[in-house]
């Protein structure tokens, strides 16, 4: 038998209260106060960006080449990076 709207709402409220209790105890996530939120600086937290991280850039490809690269599936940009790195290593491109 389907639950009534009242039963669904009671179940939702109970689950929400359990979730809040768990959060306040720090079981699943930290609870941040408004002053803590206001004190945060913009950007990624210090120490979370690895040294030598990749750099975002813009490059222009012919449409057919881009379609062929994307057709190789997810991770195509990483594979292009590896191909270019290997070309530099072999001396085909100079860094």
């Amino acid at each position: 038998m389907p639950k009534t709207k009242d039963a669904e709402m009671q179940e939702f409220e109970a689950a929400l209260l359990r979730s809040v209790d768990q959060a306040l105890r720090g079981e699943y996530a930290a609870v941040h106060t408004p002053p803590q939120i206001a004190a945060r600086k913009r950007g990624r937290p210090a120490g979370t960006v690895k040294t030598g991280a990749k750099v975002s850039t813009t490059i222009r490809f012919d449409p057919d080449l881009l379609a062929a690269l994307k057709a190789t599936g997810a991770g195509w940009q990483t594979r292009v990076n590896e191909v270019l790195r290997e070309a530099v290593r072999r001396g085909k491109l100079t860094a």
Side-chain angles (χ1 to χ4, degrees):
M1 183 163 112
K3 294 179 184 176
T4 66
K5 291 285 182 190
D6 288 337
E8 286 180 7
M9 185 55 75
Q10 288 174 349
E11 186 177 322
F12 172 77
E13 289 172 351
L16 181 61
L17 290 173
R18 281 192 306 275
S19 177
V20 169
D21 287 341
Q22 290 169 344
L24 290 173
R25 289 191 305 269
E27 289 182 17
Y28 293 102
V31 175
H32 300 286
T33 63
Q36 288 173 319
I37 294 169
R40 286 193 299 207
K41 294 180 182 169
R42 290 182 49 131
R44 296 188 181 268
T48 61
V49 179
K50 67 180 181 179
T51 323
K54 292 182 179 178
V55 176
S56 177
T57 187
T58 301
I59 188 168
R60 299 172 71 82
F61 290 117
D62 291 328
D64 58 333
L65 176 59
L66 182 59
L69 291 169
K70 287 184 173 183
T72 64
W76 68 270
Q77 292 173 326
T78 300
R79 286 189 295 280
V80 169
N81 189 74
E82 291 166 356
V83 167
L84 292 172
R85 180 177 300 285
E86 183 62 19
V88 168
R89 188 187 72 73
R90 290 183 177 204
K92 304 249 182 200
L93 299 172
T94 55

